[in-house]
Amino acid sequence: MQEIFKTIENIAIKISDALKYADLGYTDHKNQTGDTQLKLDVLSDEIITAEFKDVKSVKSLISEEKTDEELLNEDGEYIVAYDPLDGSSLVDVNFAVGSIFGIYKKSLSAKNLVASVYTIYGPRLEMVVCKDSPKLYRLKRDGEFGFVRELKLQEKGKLNATGATQKGWSDTHRKLVNTLFERGYRLRYSGAMVSDLHQVLLKGGGLFSYPATSDAPKGKLRVSFEVLPFAFIYEKAGGATSDGFSNSLFDIEIKELHQTTPCFFGSVDEIETLHQIYGKKS
Ligand code: P6P
C-alpha cells in the first residue's frame, strides 16, 4: 500500500500546481451525479488516472468524474475510489479544496475499506493518510512530505458544520443543529467537504452534517469516494459516524458506484446527541 500512498503524494503535488494557473471554466459535460464538470475536475481526474496507470497493485479506479469503474490491472489487489477535486466550484473564490481517496481490498464494500487518504490544497499542501490511525503530513521546502502529527478527536468539540440548503432540512435536523448552537457551538462551513471535515478534525471536534433533505432524500455526498473515506478517518481518530439512524456509516451496503447517503461525522458526544434527537435503529 506504500506504493499507493507515494503515488498520491505525486498526485497532490501535480494537482496543487495545476490549481494555481489552470483554466477555471466549465466543460459542457455533467458527471454521473449531475454536477456540471469544471475543466479542473477533468484535469484532476486525468492526472490521477495517469499516475495510477503503472501501479500494479491497483486493480481498478472508481471516480466521481467517471461513469464506470476503470480496470487497470486484472491481478491488482486494491480498488481506489476517489473524488479528484472535491469543492472544485470554490476554486474561483480561492477557498481550500481537496482530493479524497478510499482504498478497498479486492471488492468495493464498506468492510473492505482498508485505508483512506485526503489531500488539501490550501495555503499549505497537506495530506492525511489513514491506515491504523490518521496521520497529518505537510509538503516541505525540499519537495518531500514530512510527518506533522497524529490526529485525535476529543470526546466533545465546539464546531458545527451544517451542510445542505436549510430550506430543505427536516424539523428533526433543524432541532439537532439548533441544539448545538444553543450549547454555544460555532458555525464553521465553507461548502468544501474536505476543508470542513479537516477543520473539525484538527480543531478537536464537533459535528459535520449533510442530512437527508426534501430535495435530496438520499443526501448529496457519495458513499464510496467521499463518505466512507472520511468515516474511516473519523472513527480511527476516536470519533463516530452515522447516517442519522445507524450505529456507523460502515453499516451501509454499497449497491451503486455513485450512491449517496445522508452522513454525520463527529466527536462521540455530538453523535450521541444526534441519536437522542434523530432516534437510533435498534
Ligand atoms: P451544499 C461540494 O460540491 C460538495 O460535494 C462537498 O464538498 C460539500 O460538502 C457539499 O457539496 C456542499 O453542498 O449543498 O452544502 O452547498
Side-chain angles (χ1 to χ4, degrees):
M1 219 180 298
Q2 284 311 315
E3 189 185 22
I4 291 175
F5 297 151
K6 186 65 189 161
T7 301
I8 294 174
E9 286 184 12
N10 298 335
I11 287 166
I13 291 167
K14 290 190 173 181
I15 292 179
S16 177
D17 286 346
L19 287 178
K20 294 185 177 73
Y21 313 108
D23 176 346
L24 300 185
Y26 280 91
T27 68
D28 49 12
H29 303 290
K30 289 185 184 294
N31 66 18
Q32 188 64 15
T33 23
D35 309 323
T36 304
Q37 290 176 314
L38 278 156
K39 290 175 185 169
L40 266 179
D41 290 321
V42 176
L43 175 61
S44 302
D45 189 51
E46 288 168 351
I47 289 170
I48 294 171
T49 304
E51 287 297 315
F52 274 117
K53 270 253 185 295
D54 300 326
V55 179
K56 294 302 173 215
S57 61
V58 174
K59 177 181 170 188
S60 63
L61 300 176
I62 291 168
S63 166
E64 178 175 310
E65 307 308 336
K66 296 182 200 298
T67 302
D68 303 313
E69 185 172 4
E70 182 169 338
L71 181 65
L72 295 185
N73 303 289
E74 193 67 45
D75 301 329
E77 197 173 5
Y78 301 104
I79 295 169
V80 178
Y82 62 89
D83 179 354
L85 196 61
D86 181 77
S88 55
S89 60
L90 297 171
V91 172
D92 63 345
V93 293
N94 207 22
F95 273 29
V97 295
S99 306
I100 311 168
F101 302 84
I103 298 153
Y104 297 82
K105 190 164 185 174
K106 299 220 184 302
S107 66
L108 185 70
S109 71
K111 66 179 175 36
N112 288 357
L113 183 69
V114 292
S116 70
V117 179
Y118 66 87
T119 61
I120 183 158
Y121 313 109
R124 301 183 293 195
L125 176 53
E126 295 186 335
M127 60 195 283
V128 171
V129 180
C130 187
K131 190 165 170 287
D132 304 315
S133 63
K135 295 179 172 65
L136 174 65
Y137 295 83
R138 184 174 299 143
L139 188 72
K140 301 178 295 178
R141 282 185 191 283
D142 65 3
E144 295 294 323
F145 279 91
F147 173 71
V148 177
R149 64 184 172 99
E150 197 148 325
L151 302 177
K152 286 293 287 170
L153 279 162
Q154 292 160 9
E155 183 77 14
K156 184 178 181 305
K158 303 183 182 70
L159 303 184
N160 194 4
T162 58
T165 310
Q166 298 193 20
K167 178 168 168 281
W169 288 356
S170 67
D171 293 343
T172 302
H173 187 69
R174 202 174 304 282
K175 182 178 176 188
L176 169 66
V177 169
N178 290 337
T179 297
L180 295 183
F181 283 138
E182 281 151 24
R183 291 178 186 171
Y185 282 68
R186 292 178 175 77
L187 171 63
R188 292 290 184 273
Y189 192 75
S190 73
M193 172 183 199
V194 171
S195 310
D196 295 329
L197 283 160
H198 189 64
Q199 178 170 201
V200 171
L201 182 57
L202 269 69
K203 295 284 188 185
L207 182 70
F208 173 100
S209 54
Y210 203 105
T213 60
S214 51
D215 51 327
K218 292 186 178 172
K220 173 183 182 182
L221 302 181
R222 279 65 46 143
V223 173
S224 308
F225 41 77
E226 289 175 327
V227 174
L228 288 181
F230 268 105
F232 188 79
I233 289 169
Y234 264 62
E235 293 190 4
K236 292 283 186 185
T241 69
S242 177
D243 67 2
F245 305 96
S246 63
N247 276 310
S248 162
L249 282 164
F250 281 93
D251 295 345
I252 202 163
E253 187 187 347
I254 301 176
K255 294 186 178 122
E256 293 158 22
L257 298 187
H258 297 267
Q259 180 178 336
T260 63
T261 179
C263 52
F264 299 78
F265 310 79
S267 306
V268 167
D269 186 78
E270 285 83 347
I271 296 293
E272 188 45 49
T273 300
L274 163 73
H275 290 315
Q276 287 162 7
I277 293 173
Y278 264 66
K280 192 173 181 181
K281 273 179 202 152
S282 49

